[in-house]
Short mmCIF file of all heavy atoms in Angstrom, two decimals:
data_model
loop_
_atom_site.label_atom_id
_atom_site.label_comp_id
_atom_site.label_asym_id
_atom_site.label_seq_id
_atom_site.Cartn_x
_atom_site.Cartn_y
_atom_site.Cartn_z
N ALA M 1696 8.85 -46.81 54.80
CA ALA M 1696 9.29 -45.52 54.29
C ALA M 1696 10.06 -45.70 52.98
O ALA M 1696 9.93 -44.90 52.04
CB ALA M 1696 10.16 -44.82 55.33
N ALA M 1697 10.85 -46.77 52.89
CA ALA M 1697 11.58 -47.05 51.65
C ALA M 1697 10.60 -47.42 50.54
O ALA M 1697 10.79 -47.03 49.37
CB ALA M 1697 12.58 -48.17 51.88
N CYS M 1698 9.55 -48.16 50.87
CA CYS M 1698 8.51 -48.47 49.88
C CYS M 1698 7.85 -47.20 49.38
O CYS M 1698 7.60 -47.03 48.18
CB CYS M 1698 7.47 -49.41 50.49
SG CYS M 1698 8.05 -51.09 50.83
N HIS M 1699 7.55 -46.28 50.32
CA HIS M 1699 6.94 -45.00 49.97
C HIS M 1699 7.85 -44.23 49.00
O HIS M 1699 7.39 -43.67 48.00
CB HIS M 1699 6.70 -44.19 51.25
CG HIS M 1699 6.05 -42.86 51.04
ND1 HIS M 1699 6.79 -41.72 50.75
CD2 HIS M 1699 4.75 -42.48 51.07
CE1 HIS M 1699 5.96 -40.70 50.63
NE2 HIS M 1699 4.72 -41.12 50.81
N ALA M 1700 9.15 -44.22 49.29
CA ALA M 1700 10.10 -43.51 48.44
C ALA M 1700 10.18 -44.13 47.05
O ALA M 1700 10.43 -43.44 46.05
CB ALA M 1700 11.48 -43.49 49.09
N CYS M 1701 9.98 -45.43 46.96
CA CYS M 1701 10.04 -46.14 45.69
C CYS M 1701 8.89 -45.76 44.76
O CYS M 1701 9.02 -45.85 43.54
CB CYS M 1701 9.96 -47.64 45.97
SG CYS M 1701 11.29 -48.56 45.25
N LEU M 1702 7.76 -45.38 45.35
CA LEU M 1702 6.56 -45.11 44.55
C LEU M 1702 6.63 -43.76 43.85
O LEU M 1702 7.13 -42.78 44.40
CB LEU M 1702 5.33 -45.15 45.45
CG LEU M 1702 4.93 -46.51 46.01
CD1 LEU M 1702 3.82 -46.34 47.06
CD2 LEU M 1702 4.48 -47.45 44.91
N ALA M 1703 6.08 -43.72 42.66
CA ALA M 1703 5.87 -42.45 41.96
C ALA M 1703 4.71 -41.71 42.62
O ALA M 1703 3.92 -42.30 43.35
CB ALA M 1703 5.56 -42.73 40.49
N PRO M 1704 4.59 -40.40 42.39
CA PRO M 1704 3.42 -39.68 42.92
C PRO M 1704 2.13 -40.36 42.47
O PRO M 1704 1.96 -40.68 41.28
CB PRO M 1704 3.57 -38.29 42.32
CG PRO M 1704 5.04 -38.14 42.10
CD PRO M 1704 5.52 -39.50 41.69
N GLY M 1705 1.21 -40.60 43.42
CA GLY M 1705 -0.02 -41.30 43.09
C GLY M 1705 0.13 -42.80 43.03
O GLY M 1705 -0.82 -43.51 42.71
N GLY M 1706 1.33 -43.31 43.35
CA GLY M 1706 1.57 -44.74 43.36
C GLY M 1706 0.88 -45.41 44.54
O GLY M 1706 0.50 -44.77 45.52
N VAL M 1707 0.74 -46.74 44.45
CA VAL M 1707 -0.01 -47.49 45.46
C VAL M 1707 0.83 -48.63 46.01
O VAL M 1707 1.46 -49.38 45.25
CB VAL M 1707 -1.31 -48.07 44.87
CG1 VAL M 1707 -2.15 -48.72 45.98
CG2 VAL M 1707 -2.12 -47.00 44.15
N LEU M 1708 0.82 -48.76 47.32
CA LEU M 1708 1.42 -49.90 48.00
C LEU M 1708 0.31 -50.86 48.38
O LEU M 1708 -0.69 -50.47 48.98
CB LEU M 1708 2.16 -49.44 49.26
CG LEU M 1708 2.79 -50.53 50.13
CD1 LEU M 1708 3.95 -51.20 49.41
CD2 LEU M 1708 3.26 -49.93 51.47
N SER M 1709 0.47 -52.15 48.05
CA SER M 1709 -0.49 -53.20 48.39
C SER M 1709 0.25 -54.26 49.18
O SER M 1709 1.17 -54.91 48.67
CB SER M 1709 -1.09 -53.79 47.10
OG SER M 1709 -1.98 -54.85 47.39
N VAL M 1710 -0.14 -54.45 50.45
CA VAL M 1710 0.59 -55.33 51.36
C VAL M 1710 -0.33 -56.42 51.89
O VAL M 1710 -1.43 -56.12 52.38
CB VAL M 1710 1.19 -54.54 52.54
CG1 VAL M 1710 2.05 -55.44 53.42
CG2 VAL M 1710 2.00 -53.35 52.05
N ASN M 1711 0.13 -57.65 51.83
CA ASN M 1711 -0.60 -58.76 52.44
C ASN M 1711 -0.18 -58.93 53.89
O ASN M 1711 1.00 -59.09 54.19
CB ASN M 1711 -0.33 -60.07 51.68
CG ASN M 1711 -0.87 -61.28 52.41
OD1 ASN M 1711 -2.00 -61.26 52.90
ND2 ASN M 1711 -0.06 -62.33 52.51
N LEU M 1712 -1.17 -58.90 54.80
CA LEU M 1712 -0.92 -59.12 56.22
C LEU M 1712 -1.95 -60.11 56.74
O LEU M 1712 -3.05 -60.23 56.19
CB LEU M 1712 -1.04 -57.81 57.01
CG LEU M 1712 -0.05 -56.69 56.67
CD1 LEU M 1712 -0.46 -55.41 57.38
CD2 LEU M 1712 1.37 -57.08 57.06
N PHE M 1713 -1.60 -60.80 57.80
CA PHE M 1713 -2.58 -61.65 58.46
C PHE M 1713 -3.41 -60.79 59.39
O PHE M 1713 -2.91 -60.26 60.38
CB PHE M 1713 -1.89 -62.78 59.23
CG PHE M 1713 -1.41 -63.89 58.36
CD1 PHE M 1713 -0.09 -64.28 58.37
CD2 PHE M 1713 -2.29 -64.55 57.53
CE1 PHE M 1713 0.36 -65.32 57.57
CE2 PHE M 1713 -1.86 -65.59 56.72
CZ PHE M 1713 -0.52 -65.97 56.74
N GLY M 1714 -4.71 -60.66 59.09
CA GLY M 1714 -5.56 -59.71 59.79
C GLY M 1714 -6.16 -60.16 61.08
O GLY M 1714 -6.82 -59.38 61.76
N ARG M 1715 -6.01 -61.43 61.47
CA ARG M 1715 -6.62 -61.88 62.70
C ARG M 1715 -5.63 -61.88 63.86
O ARG M 1715 -5.89 -62.45 64.91
CB ARG M 1715 -7.19 -63.29 62.51
CG ARG M 1715 -8.42 -63.27 61.61
CD ARG M 1715 -8.99 -64.64 61.37
NE ARG M 1715 -10.22 -64.55 60.58
CZ ARG M 1715 -10.83 -65.59 60.05
NH1 ARG M 1715 -10.34 -66.79 60.22
NH2 ARG M 1715 -11.93 -65.43 59.35
N SER M 1716 -4.51 -61.25 63.67
CA SER M 1716 -3.52 -61.13 64.72
C SER M 1716 -3.46 -59.68 65.17
O SER M 1716 -3.67 -58.76 64.40
CB SER M 1716 -2.14 -61.56 64.20
OG SER M 1716 -1.12 -61.14 65.07
#
Side-chain angles (χ1 to χ4, degrees):
C1698 291
H1699 181 274
C1701 234
L1702 291 171
V1707 186
L1708 177 68
S1709 177
V1710 185
N1711 170 45
L1712 298 171
F1713 283 124
R1715 289 179 176 170
S1716 165

